[in-house]
């Protein structure tokens, strides 16, 4: 199928004589660039496609598509997009290739968007490339379809060149630069730019999905609340900045990527900054902050003065190197969110540099408040006391919805609850077709081979735990539970062979709809990667007998990503392999896979999506998004009732909750799910049908937006000493004999303290605050007397945040629930206000120009179009870079003139 030199091939090849169909042939990575030209009559569209192997250009193809039979421009666009998506899928399947990234030239997006019904295309200059957005159309963009239907990363850029082939070549060459060289080749680079700001999706040049895709993931009331809050944030010009320790790895980074994507669509001013990594400091923050506070560190691990000095010096270096200048985020942000204790040392700096900024501390981990309470001199209390001297200066404390996650010293008047979230459209959760599923299964086994781990037989059922290799994730318990499950299968076979089989064991032998037959029942030493005869005689006997019955013992997969700020991953990973090699576990070795996965989300998606059931045996957990992801895929989950997991699993409906360390109960539930198809199907169906929107990105964005709006209304005045005393007394209820009082007739500023020994004395305000432990960490590293913001008790009417309430309950009460005086649902009233704001602030009544030189806010509702001289679609307004000029573009020719 090689084309003659100098002749353009008419369309993509659809077959090859190469032997590429074998099951062990992993599709080769391919990178594509696409550009289009629309003929003047708009009855034909020519597209050019350039292929690239990551090093150099391979070939170029052109094809002309006749769209004259379509009745309108919308149908023409949809026909073209459907044709090209079909051709690309056919091409990669027939040639055994996998498209990893597709560069879409600006003319592709502009032409397709311009031709859609009821849409106006706005070109916004961001100082670099210009990106087109679509308003008023619910039809998916080509870039969205590339991501959701082809699993290729759509990179939108301004391609250069006078001819079609030049522009297509430019598109693919620029797109290749956005990818990391890490296997399998479709991992986008995580860009950290000026001031260590995370440039999500290559500064939004990667366009994964449209705003309409988000709307489909939530209820109507939630969506209109999102639009209403976005309108208010833009109107008030609120700037928000997030700070954390790493741009990749772990649930916090995943949530921030998803949140920033939606912020970009809604055009709100939100930024994300990360600290410069330091392995030495991350050892302190992981093992002596995170692990100690969760109660999973050895009892002799304590925070030392040297550790504190390292952390404070690292914080100072980051502030002075990146963020303390007058134009930096600490000085210019209205709301600053601190994610977890790693960067909580920034709070004193914010108080010094920008006292007017409101600071929100977001706690993502399970802080063992019970250990802090029961052992005031223990490692948890010492670590928390040090961190609290900085955190107490924040304006709001956001926790996962569990009371034990909030230490007693944090006043509930300034605490709100919010669960973690996952994105149903990202690589971890989006649906994948059979071609992509097979591809990632092959990639997974290739990674297993490279790491010396057992490869998975995807034709047999398996159980999976997908989690980071962390001491709190209970990986030894996973192996122990699986060992007990293995013995349950052996016992069932013994009962069968002795004629004493019970109902459950009969089902094991007779098979069920959820069991998958092994296509090859021989012992395949080359497949497992070691000598089965030597490593697993007990497993071998079980395996052979099950094969004779047409069954297979479920395999076990333990896998997960790593994280930049987690030094524990390697030793936990090695510990798991060490356990598996012990004599008691050696029979399991041919059936267990333990592997660390590169940051390719689709691999974990495939593993979790195909699992018979999922495990999450965390001993300590904040709010595990992997549980939400499994439930959303219809995979029943067996988990420990730790942390926030009981909020995610309804026992007996979408999974099972068992007490921590009760591996016997875990094995029993696994056995029932493996042998009872009716139970499995019922839980799977319930999981799919009842997954709630509150654990997904759009709902999570509404939670954050409400916090941004309302935290600015919180009073800033320092608390009085009486208020501090009140809070201290509440925290000391479990300490008999301790009381702080104020007596009548005392001079202003005097209070009386009473300790456990009954001694009483009079102290003045500063001395008293100091005696009560009211010291704050300052930017210079010292701890001095202060009146922290989180001890503010006086609440004004407009200060609605606090009381330990769920954030979602607050914004629903204000934006969604209830009726207006006219009997209209409140959220529908918000819709009318949003439409009115959109029309009045962006387009004039003649729809011919922008009233303000700003991009219009997103509008996903039909708007009546009227006005003299307006034909067809809304006009297109092009903002020329660095020139305050408005150019009205009504057709393709006008667009070319404007450029």
């Amino acid at each position: 199928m090689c084309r003659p030199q100098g002749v353009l091939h008419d369309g993509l090849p659809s077959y090859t004589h190469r032997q590429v169909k074998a099951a062990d042939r992993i599709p080769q990575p391919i990178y594509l660039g696409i550009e289009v030209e629309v003929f003047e009559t708009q009855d034909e569209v020519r597209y050019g496609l350039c292929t690239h192997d990551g090093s150099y250009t391979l070939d170029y193809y052109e094809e002309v598509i006749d769209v004259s039979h379509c009745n309108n421009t919308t149908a023409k666009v949809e026909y073209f997009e459907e044709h090209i998506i079909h051709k690309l899928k056919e091409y990669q399947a027939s040639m055994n290739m996998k498209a990893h990234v597709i560069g879409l030239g600006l003319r592709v997006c502009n032409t397709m968007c311009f031709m859609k019904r009821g849409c106006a295309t706005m070109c916004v200059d961001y100082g670099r490339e210009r990106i087109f957005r679509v308003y008023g159309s619910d039809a998916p963009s080509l870039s969205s379809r590339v991501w959701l239907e082809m699993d290729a990363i759509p990179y939108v850029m301004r391609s250069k060149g006078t001819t079609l082939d030049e522009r297509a070549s430019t598109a693919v060459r620029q797109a290749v630069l956005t990818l990391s060289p890490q296997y399998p080749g479709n991992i986008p680079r995580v860009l950290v730019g000026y001031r260590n700001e995370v440039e999500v999706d290559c500064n939004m040049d990667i366009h994964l999905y449209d705003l309409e895709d988000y709307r489909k993931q939530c209820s109507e009331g939630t969506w209109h609340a999102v639009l209403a809050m976005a309108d208010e944030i833009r109107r008030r010009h609120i700037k928000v900045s997030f700070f954390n320790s790493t741009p990749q790895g772990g649930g916090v980074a995943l949530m921030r990527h998803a949140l920033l994507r939606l912020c970009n669509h809604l055009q709100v001013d939100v930024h994300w900054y990360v600290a410069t990594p330091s392995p030495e400091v991350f050892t302190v923050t992981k093992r002596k902050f995170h692990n100690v506070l969760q109660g999973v560190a050895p009892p002799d691990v304590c925070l030392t003065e040297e550790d504190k000095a390292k952390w404070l010096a690292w914080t100072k270096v980051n502030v002075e190197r990146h963020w303390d200048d007058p134009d930096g985020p600490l000085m210019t942000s209205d709301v600053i969110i601190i994610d977890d204790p790693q960067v909580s040392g920034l709070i004193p700096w914010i108080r010094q540099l920008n006292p007017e900024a409101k600071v929100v501390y977001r706690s993502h981990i399970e802080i063992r408040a019970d250990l802090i309470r029961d052992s005031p001199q223990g490692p948890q209390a010492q670590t928390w006391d040090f961190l609290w001297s900085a955190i107490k200066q924040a304006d709001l404390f956001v926790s996962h919805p569990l009371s034990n996650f909030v230490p007693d010293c944090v006043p509930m008047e300034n605490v709100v609850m919010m669960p973690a979230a996952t994105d149903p459209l990202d690589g971890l959760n989006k649906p994948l077709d059979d071609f992509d599923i097979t591809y990632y299964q092959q990639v997974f086994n290739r990674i297993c081979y490279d790491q010396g781990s057992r490869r998975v037989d995807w034709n047999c059922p398996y159980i999976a735990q997908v989690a980071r290799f962390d001491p709190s994730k209970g990986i030894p318990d996973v192996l122990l539970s699986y060992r007990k499950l293995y013995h349950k299968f052996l016992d069932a076979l013994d009962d069968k062979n002795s004629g004493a089989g019970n109902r459950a064991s009969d089902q094991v032998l007779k098979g069920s709809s959820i069991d998958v037959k092994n296509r090859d029942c021989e012992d395949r030493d080359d497949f497992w990667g070691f000598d089965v005869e030597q490593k697993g005689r007990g497993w071998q006997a079980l395996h052979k007998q099950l094969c004779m019955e047409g069954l297979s013992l479920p395999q076990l997969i333990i896998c997960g990503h790593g994280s930049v700020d987690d030094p524990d991953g390697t030793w936990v990973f090695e510990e798991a392999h060490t356990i598996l090699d012990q004599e008691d576990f050696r029979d399991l070795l041919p059936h267990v896979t333990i592997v660390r996965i590169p940051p390719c989300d689709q691999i974990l998606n495939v593993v979790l999506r195909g699992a018979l059931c999922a495990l999450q045996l965390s001993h300590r957990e904040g709010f595990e998004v992997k549980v939400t992801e499994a439930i959303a895929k219809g995979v029943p989950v067996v988990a420990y009732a730790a942390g926030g997991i009981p909020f995610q699993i309804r026992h007996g409906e979408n999974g099972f909750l068992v007490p921590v360390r009760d591996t016997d109960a875990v094995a029993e539930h696994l056995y029932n799910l493996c042998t009872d198809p009716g139970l499995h199907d019922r839980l799977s169906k319930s999981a799919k049908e009842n997954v709630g929107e509150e654990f997904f990105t759009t709902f999570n964005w509404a939670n954050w937006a409400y916090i941004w709006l309302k935290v600015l209304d919180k009073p800033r005045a320092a608390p009085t000493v009486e208020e501090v005393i009140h809070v201290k007394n509440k925290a000391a209820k479990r300490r008999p004999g301790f009381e702080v009082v104020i007596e009548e007739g005392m001079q202003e500023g005097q209070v009386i303290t009473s300790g456990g020994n009954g001694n009483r004395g009079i102290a003045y305000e500063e001395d008293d605050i100091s005696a009560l432990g009211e010291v704050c960490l300052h930017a210079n590293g010292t701890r001095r007397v202060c009146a922290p913001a989180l001890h503010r008790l006086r609440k004004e009417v407009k200060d609605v945040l606090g009381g330990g309430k769920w954030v979602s309950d607050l914004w629903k009460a204000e934006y969604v629930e209830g009726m207006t005086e006219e009997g209209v649902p409140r959220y529908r009233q918000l819709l009318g206000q949003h439409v009115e704001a959109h029309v009045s602030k962006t387009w004039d009544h003649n729809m011919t120009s922008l009233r303000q030189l700003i991009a219009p806010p997103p509008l996903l509702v039909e708007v009546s179009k009227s006005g003299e001289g307006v034909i067809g679609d809304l006009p297109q307004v092009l903002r020329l870079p660095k020139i305050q000029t408005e150019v009205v573009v009504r057709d393709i020719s006008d667009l070319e003139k404007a450029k």
Side-chain angles (χ1 to χ4, degrees):
M1 292 302 296
C2 296
R3 62 176 175 81
Q5 186 175 4
V7 179
L8 291 177
H9 189 79
D10 185 18
L12 294 171
S14 58
Y15 67 93
T16 178
H17 293 288
R18 293 181 289 114
Q19 302 299 314
V20 297
K21 293 299 183 181
D24 59 345
R25 304 284 199 274
I26 300 179
Q28 295 176 278
I30 194 73
Y31 310 92
L32 309 174
I34 301 176
E35 267 287 5
V36 301
E37 287 180 351
V38 180
F39 290 82
E40 186 174 353
T41 61
Q42 296 192 1
D43 288 336
E44 291 182 325
V45 180
R46 176 191 289 124
Y47 75 89
L49 186 143
C50 187
T51 62
H52 200 282
D53 67 355
S55 297
Y56 55 87
T57 300
L58 296 179
D59 214 335
Y60 175 74
Y61 306 95
E62 274 189 16
E63 184 179 7
V64 177
I65 303 174
D66 183 7
V67 294
S68 60
H69 61 282
C70 300
N71 297 328
N72 52 54
T73 55
T74 302
K76 292 178 181 179
V77 172
E78 292 176 353
Y79 179 83
F80 167 80
E81 290 180 348
E82 188 64 36
H83 177 88
I84 196 169
I85 292 290
H86 173 75
K87 283 287 188 180
L88 291 176
K89 285 184 175 183
E90 185 181 55
Y91 169 70
Q92 67 177 7
S94 62
M95 306 300 289
N96 199 42
M97 293 180 173
K98 174 70 171 73
H100 281 338
V101 66
I102 298 181
L104 300 174
L106 195 60
R107 296 172 188 241
V108 178
C109 296
N110 175 57
T111 302
M112 297 302 102
C113 293
F114 186 85
M115 295 174 67
K116 289 184 185 292
R117 180 183 61 186
C119 75
T121 308
M122 175 61 61
C123 182
V124 183
D125 177 34
Y126 277 89
R128 294 178 64 252
E129 304 296 342
R130 288 187 280 173
I131 306 169
F132 278 87
R133 296 182 176 84
V134 181
Y135 304 98
S137 174
D138 60 358
S141 65
L142 180 60
S143 58
S144 175
R145 296 191 64 181
V146 163
W147 169 248
L148 296 176
E149 298 180 30
M150 290 195 60
D151 184 49
I153 298 172
Y155 183 77
V156 180
M157 87 291 291
R158 188 178 186 81
S159 56
K160 299 179 180 179
T162 57
T163 62
L164 194 63
D165 62 322
E166 289 177 345
R167 296 198 298 272
S169 177
T170 300
V172 68
R173 285 186 281 110
Q174 291 189 38
V176 168
L177 297 178
T178 67
L179 297 179
S180 168
Q182 193 172 6
Y183 186 78
N186 63 343
I187 303 173
R189 297 178 186 270
V190 177
L191 301 183
V192 178
Y194 181 51
R195 293 197 176 97
N196 271 24
E197 180 172 3
V198 182
E199 298 176 354
V200 175
D201 292 341
C202 294
N203 205 16
M204 298 301 171
D205 286 345
I206 293 175
H207 182 94
L208 296 182
Y209 22 79
D210 305 324
L211 197 60
E212 173 67 12
D213 294 318
Y214 288 101
R215 186 193 63 77
K216 297 174 183 178
Q217 308 301 325
C218 65
S219 64
E220 186 180 7
T222 297
W223 183 245
H224 293 320
V226 166
L227 295 181
M229 286 188 275
D231 283 342
E232 187 173 354
I233 292 171
R234 288 192 300 268
R235 179 180 60 81
R236 293 171 60 177
H237 304 289
I238 297 174
K239 179 180 179 180
V240 181
S241 295
F242 284 86
F243 288 84
N244 79 323
S245 58
T246 173
Q248 188 177 61
V252 176
L254 287 170
M255 286 189 289
R256 294 297 160 262
H257 280 280
L259 193 75
L260 268 289
R261 289 188 192 109
L262 184 49
C263 288
N264 178 66
H265 280 290
L266 294 170
Q267 300 180 35
V268 295
D269 192 9
V270 179
H271 304 261
W272 174 21
Y273 302 89
V274 293
T276 299
S278 169
E280 183 180 35
V281 173
F282 285 162
T283 299
V284 174
T285 59
K286 181 60 171 62
R287 295 176 178 170
K288 298 188 177 182
F289 286 2
H290 188 280
N291 291 356
V292 167
L293 290 176
Q294 286 198 313
V296 297
D300 58 340
V301 174
C302 295
L303 188 65
T304 66
E305 292 300 320
E306 182 182 0
D307 297 330
K308 297 176 184 178
K310 290 178 182 177
W311 180 69
L312 292 170
W314 173 71
T315 301
K316 181 180 180 181
V317 167
N318 276 280
V319 171
E320 294 180 344
R321 180 180 297 175
H322 304 300
W323 303 320
D324 68 343
D325 60 287
D327 297 325
L330 298 185
M331 298 283 282
T332 59
S333 298
D334 300 300
V335 181
I336 297 176
I337 294 93
I338 303 297
D339 275 316
D340 269 343
Q342 290 94 327
V343 290
S344 59
L346 293 175
I347 299 177
W349 286 93
I350 299 168
R351 285 284 167 254
Q352 174 180 303
L353 296 172
N354 186 8
E356 297 303 316
K358 295 300 176 73
V359 181
V360 178
Y361 177 75
R362 178 39 162 141
S363 176
H364 294 273
I365 64 174
E366 178 182 359
I367 300 175
R368 291 292 303 277
D370 56 329
L371 295 180
I372 297 172
R373 179 189 313 122
D374 298 339
S375 181
Q377 302 303 319
Q380 287 77 25
Q382 293 179 20
T383 298
W384 178 250
D385 177 66
F386 174 68
L387 294 173
W388 177 237
S389 64
I391 295 170
K392 68 172 63 173
Q393 300 173 64
D395 295 280
L396 188 69
F397 190 101
V398 182
S399 171
H400 288 312
L402 209 67
S403 58
N404 196 51
F405 286 20
V406 183
D408 297 338
C409 60
V410 183
M412 292 304 293
E413 290 82 359
N414 292 283
V415 175
V416 291
M417 303 295 186
M418 182 170 66
T422 188
D423 193 334
L425 300 173
D426 67 6
L428 288 167
N429 298 290
K430 67 175 182 176
L432 297 169
D433 61 22
D434 291 341
F435 175 84
D436 293 325
I437 289 175
T438 302
Y439 170 73
Y440 288 113
Q441 289 173 342
Q442 293 173 308
V443 168
F444 183 94
N445 276 344
R446 169 61 188 270
I447 296 171
C448 293
Y449 179 82
D450 291 341
Q451 294 185 11
S453 186
R454 169 198 171 276
R455 285 167 282 176
V456 175
D457 185 349
W458 300 105
N459 298 295
C460 295
Y462 61 87
I463 300 164
Q465 170 154 316
V466 177
R468 288 189 300 116
F469 289 91
D470 185 277
S472 65
K473 299 299 182 181
I475 292 176
D477 287 16
V478 174
L479 293 171
L480 182 58
S481 299
Y482 185 73
R483 179 171 173 266
K484 293 179 178 180
L485 174 66
Y486 162 75
H487 284 291
K488 281 184 175 293
F489 271 86
L490 285 178
D491 293 342
L493 286 175
D494 291 341
D495 291 343
K496 174 68 176 178
N497 293 334
S498 63
N502 55 32
R503 182 179 180 185
S505 60
D506 287 343
Q507 289 177 344
V508 174
L509 297 176
K510 291 179 180 177
S512 65
S513 61
I514 58 175
D515 288 317
V516 182
K517 292 186 177 182
N518 192 342
R519 293 183 305 179
D520 184 4
C521 294
E522 301 102 31
D523 295 313
R524 291 168 293 171
D525 294 355
D526 61 329
F527 183 83
W528 304 122
F530 43 73
D531 187 351
V532 179
E533 187 70 27
Q534 296 297 323
K535 287 285 186 181
R537 293 182 181 272
W539 175 87
Q540 185 184 34
L542 174 62
H543 178 66
K544 285 185 175 180
Q545 186 158 357
L546 287 174
C547 282
M548 292 172 62
E549 302 289 341
L551 299 168
S552 178
L553 173 69
Q555 306 162 89
L556 175 66
I557 300 176
I558 302 174
C559 64
H561 293 327
S563 180
V564 175
D565 63 342
D566 186 0
D568 292 332
T570 299
W571 74 262
V572 173
F573 177 69
E574 293 297 334
E575 180 190 41
H577 281 280
T578 300
I579 294 173
L580 191 60
D581 197 49
Q582 294 175 2
E583 187 66 31
D584 291 343
F585 291 86
R586 198 160 294 173
D587 281 350
L588 309 179
L589 192 59
H591 223 50
V592 177
T593 298
I594 306 174
V595 63
R596 296 183 75 176
I597 300 298
C600 177
D601 294 340
Q602 292 91 317
I603 298 177
L604 298 187
N605 184 347
V606 167
V607 171
L608 203 54
R609 186 175 297 277
L612 178 71
C613 56
L615 290 172
Q616 192 58 58
L617 302 188
S618 299
H619 291 191
R620 298 293 165 191
E621 193 60 77
F623 211 90
E624 182 51 71
V625 294
K626 288 293 176 286
V627 171
T628 300
E629 292 166 3
I631 292 173
K633 296 174 176 64
V635 178
V637 182
V638 180
Y640 283 158
I645 292 178
F647 285 98
Q648 302 169 270
I649 296 177
R650 296 186 302 277
H651 183 75
E653 295 184 29
N654 56 11
F656 296 102
L657 293 169
V658 301
V660 175
R661 299 186 189 278
D662 190 354
T663 53
D664 290 330
V666 173
E668 183 67 26
H669 288 308
L670 290 177
Y671 185 76
N672 292 336
L673 287 169
C674 292
T675 59
D676 187 345
L679 174 66
H680 180 277
D681 292 345
R682 178 173 62 82
L683 266 61
S684 178
K685 182 179 179 182
S686 176
K688 287 181 179 179
E689 293 177 350
N690 298 303
V691 61
E693 64 172 337
E694 62 270 20
F695 302 134
F696 293 137
T697 296
T698 309
F699 199 92
N700 182 255
W701 190 94
N703 287 335
W704 275 118
Y706 192 78
I707 289 175
W708 302 335
L709 290 168
K710 299 304 179 182
V711 75
L712 292 173
D713 296 332
K714 292 184 74 66
R716 174 47 60 82
T720 65
V721 69
E722 289 84 358
E723 292 172 326
V724 174
I725 291 169
H726 175 74
V727 171
K728 280 294 174 180
N729 280 334
K730 286 184 62 178
K733 284 183 178 179
R734 296 180 177 86
R735 294 162 59 190
F738 182 87
E739 184 183 9
V740 182
V741 298
I742 299 178
E743 295 185 348
E744 293 185 8
M746 294 180 59
Q747 299 179 13
E748 183 178 357
Q750 291 181 333
V751 297
I752 293 180
T753 61
S754 174
N757 56 6
N759 295 331
R760 294 164 58 87
I762 297 179
Y764 286 89
E765 184 169 326
E766 286 193 2
D767 293 336
D768 185 74
I769 294 176
S770 179
L772 291 172
E774 288 309 313
V775 293
C776 293
L777 181 67
H778 284 246
N780 60 8
T782 62
R783 302 177 75 189
R784 295 182 295 184
V785 176
C786 71
L790 277 182
H791 279 173
R792 175 72 186 180
L793 294 184
R794 295 192 302 271
K795 297 177 75 65
E796 300 178 8
V797 175
K798 60 183 179 179
D799 179 21
V800 299
L801 294 176
K805 299 178 182 177
W806 285 57
V807 181
S808 57
D809 292 341
L810 298 174
W811 63 258
K812 280 184 177 180
E814 182 172 342
Y815 287 91
V816 180
E817 297 170 352
M819 308 287 284
T820 65
E821 295 180 356
E822 294 79 14
V824 178
R826 185 175 299 175
Y827 66 83
R828 292 193 177 274
Q829 183 185 44
L830 294 174
L831 172 62
Q833 295 171 354
H834 174 72
V835 174
E836 181 181 356
H838 174 82
V839 174
S840 64
K841 293 184 178 181
T842 57
W843 305 97
D844 66 7
H845 295 295
N846 293 325
M847 299 291 185
T848 56
S849 65
L850 280 177
R851 279 190 174 180
Q852 300 177 6
L853 197 57
I854 59 173
L859 184 61
L860 295 179
V861 295
E862 288 294 329
V863 179
S864 60
K865 298 179 284 293
S866 61
E868 184 178 354
V870 178
I871 56 174
D873 301 331
L874 292 174
Q876 181 186 26
V877 179
L878 181 68
R879 279 185 60 192
L880 300 181
K882 301 181 181 180
I883 302 177
Q884 300 298 312
T885 305
E886 301 174 6
V887 182
V888 177
V889 182
R890 296 183 179 278
D891 55 30
I892 300 299
S893 60
D894 287 343
L895 179 64
E896 295 300 323
K897 293 177 182 177
K899 293 179 179 180

